[in-house]
């Protein structure tokens, strides 16, 4: 394991971060993973404690290999997960992530995915629910090298602001040098649907319960695609509990 220099907000990956909190945790060890050809890696990261925390991961995925990261950032302070991945030929990277914050929490997921060879695929799906004066950040970059033809990458990022004091900074980014690729990204920030709240109220559901139901359904999208049922249910339950704390 190795460490990086102390960051500043001049760095794009730290533009919206709580660098003062990061300084208290520095140095942060980089956790390196090597996925051999045809092998698979599953990494589950849950930051939901009362203390500040940073996880920094780098993964090299060999030809035909697969790496899946499942991430929940829902602690009461500063929580940051950084993942850097390099994809060999026909390799696959998957990230299912959720950020749930209230108070003055800062939660963030930052990714740097490099498609270095032909046929690589990557999927990133992140949902954020933010209340109080919390901040949720997603900064994800997918870079496709000149020789990485037939690459396929997608980023879907959505945030729900429960209260007007909350902030979401969402920046999916593509850097493409190959010409035969299929890449897409999208980001949106919104509030709870007033029509849906009215519908639930008309059926006797209280305001707090109605908000919680809608928010739990929204954040559940992050983990809906996980094939491992036990893992999906465990992460969804942790996200539900985090939502209950801020509604």
């Amino acid at each position: 394991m190795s460490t990086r220099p102390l960051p500043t907000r001049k760095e794009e990956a730290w533009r919206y971060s709580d660098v003062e909190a990061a300084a208290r945790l520095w140095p942060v060890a980089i956790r390196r993973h090597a996925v051999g050809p045809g092998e698979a890696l599953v990494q589950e990261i849950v930051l939901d404690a009362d203390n500040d925390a940073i996880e920094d991961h780098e993964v090299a995925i060999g030809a035909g290999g697969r790496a899946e990261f499942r991430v929940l950032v829902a602690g009461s302070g500063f929580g940051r997960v950084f993942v850097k991945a390099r994809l060999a030929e026909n390799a696959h990277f998957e990230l299912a992530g959720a950020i749930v914050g209230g108070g003055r929490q800062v939660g963030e997921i930052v990714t740097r995915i490099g498609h270095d060879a032909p046929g690589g695929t990557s999927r990133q799906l992140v949902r954020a629910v933010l209340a109080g004066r919390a901040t949720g950040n997603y900064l994800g970059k997918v870079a496709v090298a000149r020789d990485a033809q037939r690459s396929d990458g997608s980023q879907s990022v959505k945030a729900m602001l429960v209260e007007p004091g909350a902030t979401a900074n969402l920046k999916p980014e593509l850097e493409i040098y190959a010409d035969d690729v299929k890449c897409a990204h999208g980001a949106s920030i919104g509030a709870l649907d007033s029509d849906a709240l009215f519908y639930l109220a008309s059926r006797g559901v209280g305001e707090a319960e109605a908000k919680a139901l809608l928010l739990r359904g929204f954040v559940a999208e992050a983990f809906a695609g996980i094939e491992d049922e036990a893992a999906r249910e465990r992460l969804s339950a942790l996200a539900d509990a985090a939502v209950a704390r801020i509604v």
Side-chain angles (χ1 to χ4, degrees), residues 30-246:
I30 301 172
R31 305 183 185 189
R32 303 187 188 279
H33 313 271
V35 182
E39 295 180 351
L41 167 74
V42 175
Q43 192 74 26
E44 186 174 296
I45 305 168
V46 176
L47 305 183
D48 67 348
D50 292 335
N51 55 300
D52 297 340
I54 299 176
E55 291 230 6
D56 201 337
H57 294 257
E58 292 188 359
V59 54
I61 310 173
R66 176 186 180 91
E68 182 178 353
F69 278 70
R70 306 161 182 170
V71 178
L72 173 62
V73 180
S76 61
F78 170 61
R80 175 184 172 94
V81 175
F82 175 81
V83 182
K84 180 179 180 180
R86 316 288 316 185
L87 279 63
E89 187 170 4
N90 297 323
H92 179 74
F93 173 83
E94 188 98 14
L95 182 137
I99 302 169
V100 182
R104 292 185 175 273
Q105 177 188 347
V106 177
E108 50 192 15
I109 297 173
V110 181
T111 63
R112 296 291 183 266
I113 311 304
H115 289 248
D116 295 340
T121 56
S122 62
R123 300 284 182 269
Q124 299 181 66
L125 192 150
V126 177
R127 298 291 182 263
V129 173
L130 305 163
R133 299 186 65 82
T135 299
N137 301 324
Y138 169 84
L139 293 89
K141 182 175 182 179
V142 174
V144 181
R146 191 174 305 278
D147 295 329
Q149 304 294 344
R150 304 185 309 283
S151 291
D152 185 346
S154 69
Q155 297 166 283
S156 171
V157 194
K158 297 180 181 179
M160 188 77 72
L161 304 184
V162 183
E163 295 172 308
T167 301
N169 300 296
L170 310 180
K171 189 183 178 186
E173 181 181 357
L174 297 173
E175 184 180 87
I176 300 172
Y177 292 100
D179 53 18
D180 180 13
V181 301
K182 181 182 178 182
C183 292
H185 61 199
S188 64
I189 300 172
L192 285 169
D193 186 340
S194 58
D195 290 339
L197 288 171
F198 177 80
Y199 174 84
L200 291 170
S202 69
R203 272 134 182 89
V205 180
E207 181 180 1
E209 184 181 356
K211 286 183 178 180
L213 283 171
L214 294 175
L215 292 172
R216 287 202 301 267
F218 175 77
V219 80
E221 295 176 5
F223 305 121
I226 296 176
E227 294 182 0
D228 184 332
E229 183 177 357
R232 183 174 66 249
E233 292 181 352
R234 180 176 59 255
L235 288 165
S236 295
L238 289 170
D240 287 352
V243 168
R245 292 195 294 268
I246 66 172

